[in-house]
Amino acid sequence: MKKKSLSILIPTYNSDCTALASELYRQAEAVSGLDFELLIADDGSTDRSLADANRRLEALPHCQFLERGQNTGRAAIRNFLARKARYPWLLFLDSHMRVASPRFIENYLQSDGQVVYGGYIVGTGEPSNLRYLYEKACEPDHRPDVRRTRPFQHFHTGNFLVSRDVMLAHPFDERFRRYGYEDVLFGKTIRQAGLTVTHLDNPAGFFSFEDNPTFVRKTEEGLRTLHEFRHELLGYARLITVTENIHLGLVKTMLRLWHSLFGRIERCNLCGRHPNLTIFKLYKLGYYLSIKN
């Protein structure tokens, strides 16, 4: 059954989301009989020029710009938006995404399920950009048929629709204040609640790629998050599965030794102009195994 009301929710931090918000607004306004609102929540941005640009979206009817005084993290800002929303269906989009289809909103309104993930596609980028190379290599895993094989593990927060009742009953875990993996635990929470994730072919576009040093720092932060919550994420995060399957302590010791000897050299490659994905995988494994309890 077609949904008749929708809250479009965009959490943002040091990002200009005016193009994304404007296109979502245009599509929602074009749907006959749809009651909707557009909420943009700034999670304590330090770049005031970007926050000011997003604030101008309040000139649109049914649009609010909500500014938080300090950064609370990816989990808390999404819970905040869910509580502020008026309507029973919530559409979350990350601020750096783009709308990939002229029927993007309509596709979600016609979908079934209480949690619906649309996926994403990867745009063009430079071969010198590590984030672009990584996302492009992972792109086959984002096809709907692949996502449906492990529906809870393949859930991501960048582009999804959820019932407000479900979101309020099963909010994101706000212990996740640093970057990464709050979406993985949410997938586990949904599964434990007896709910399902519907995987729709309605991707958003991933066309913005941070520079290599920034992506490496974010990756390291995500690995520290993964290590902190490793017991709760067991069976849901691939890197934990890989390390748990290394049964010989000598192998783990050798990987830690390799990282201590060559990790800086690997990191220089990843931050440079010719990053290598094999080195990236090895660096992540060594970094994770070297994190102290």
Side-chain angles (χ1 to χ4, degrees):
M1 180 180 294
K2 184 173 180 178
K3 300 165 180 65
K4 297 295 186 181
S5 59
L6 182 68
S7 293
I8 303 169
L9 309 176
I10 304 176
T12 184
Y13 175 75
N14 287 340
S15 177
D16 183 344
C17 64
T18 54
L20 170 66
S22 297
E23 175 60 18
L24 291 168
Y25 184 90
R26 186 194 67 78
Q27 288 197 21
E29 195 174 40
V31 178
S32 177
L34 177 66
D35 294 321
F36 77 95
E37 63 178 348
L38 175 62
L39 305 183
I40 300 103
D42 184 277
D43 195 22
S45 289
T46 56
D47 189 327
R48 303 313 307 160
S49 64
L50 294 174
D52 290 341
N54 293 331
R55 187 181 292 106
R56 288 194 284 272
L57 290 163
E58 282 200 306
L60 297 171
H62 321 298
C63 180
Q64 291 185 64
F65 179 77
L66 307 169
E67 192 167 12
R68 309 201 82 182
Q70 61 183 7
N71 183 264
T72 58
R74 292 159 56 90
I77 194 66
R78 286 172 173 79
N79 293 341
F80 169 77
L81 279 165
R83 292 191 299 268
K84 289 290 185 180
R86 297 174 54 195
Y87 294 119
W89 290 99
L90 314 179
L91 175 59
F92 281 92
L93 269 294
D94 279 355
S95 58
H96 64 273
M97 304 301 279
R98 296 187 190 178
V99 175
S101 166
R103 289 182 51 83
F104 183 79
I105 294 289
E106 187 71 22
N107 290 340
Y108 267 127
L109 294 175
Q110 298 286 356
S111 67
D112 296 319
Q114 291 182 294
V115 183
V116 185
Y117 174 51
Y120 66 88
I121 55 174
V122 182
T124 56
E126 297 296 327
S128 60
N129 185 274
L130 178 61
R131 183 65 184 267
Y132 166 69
L133 294 175
Y134 173 75
E135 296 296 348
K136 202 65 180 176
C138 294
E139 192 172 29
D141 291 338
H142 301 305
R143 299 197 317 264
D145 58 315
V146 176
R147 288 189 266 125
R148 290 175 188 132
T149 62
R150 302 186 75 199
F152 303 98
Q153 289 86 343
H154 281 293
F155 172 83
H156 298 284
T157 56
N159 168 29
F160 75 103
L161 181 79
V162 61
S163 157
R164 185 173 186 268
D165 288 342
V166 167
M167 188 70 186
L168 295 181
H170 308 286
F172 286 98
D173 190 326
E174 296 190 13
R175 293 176 300 158
F176 284 70
R177 292 185 58 87
R178 297 187 300 185
Y179 177 79
Y181 295 97
E182 77 286 340
D183 49 357
V184 179
L185 188 59
F186 183 77
K188 178 180 177 180
T189 300
I190 291 300
R191 184 177 193 173
Q192 291 176 333
L195 300 170
T196 60
V197 176
T198 300
H199 284 271
L200 191 67
D201 187 11
N202 194 35
F206 195 139
F207 296 158
S208 176
F209 311 100
E210 61 265 69
D211 61 45
N212 293 353
T214 300
F215 181 51
V216 171
R217 287 194 298 271
K218 287 174 66 174
T219 298
E220 292 167 344
E221 184 178 359
L223 291 171
R224 294 193 295 272
T225 300
L226 179 63
H227 187 268
E228 180 180 356
F229 296 100
R230 61 193 181 280
H231 300 300
E232 292 162 87
L233 296 173
L234 182 63
Y236 287 80
R238 186 176 299 173
L239 187 58
I240 297 178
T241 302
V242 170
T243 57
E244 288 295 317
N245 285 334
I246 301 175
H247 298 297
L248 293 177
L250 178 61
V251 175
K252 291 184 179 180
T253 299
M254 294 299 294
L255 287 168
R256 292 188 187 100
L257 178 61
W258 176 275
H259 186 76
S260 70
L261 293 173
F262 300 108
R264 290 185 180 182
I265 298 173
E266 291 172 341
R267 198 179 194 280
C268 285
N269 168 266
L270 299 175
C271 292
R273 293 193 54 80
H274 303 285
N276 182 282
L277 287 180
T278 301
I279 291 175
F280 185 49
K281 292 177 182 178
L282 185 59
Y283 181 78
K284 288 200 301 180
L285 180 59
Y287 188 98
Y288 178 79
L289 287 173
S290 300
I291 297 172
K292 304 298 183 183
N293 289 329

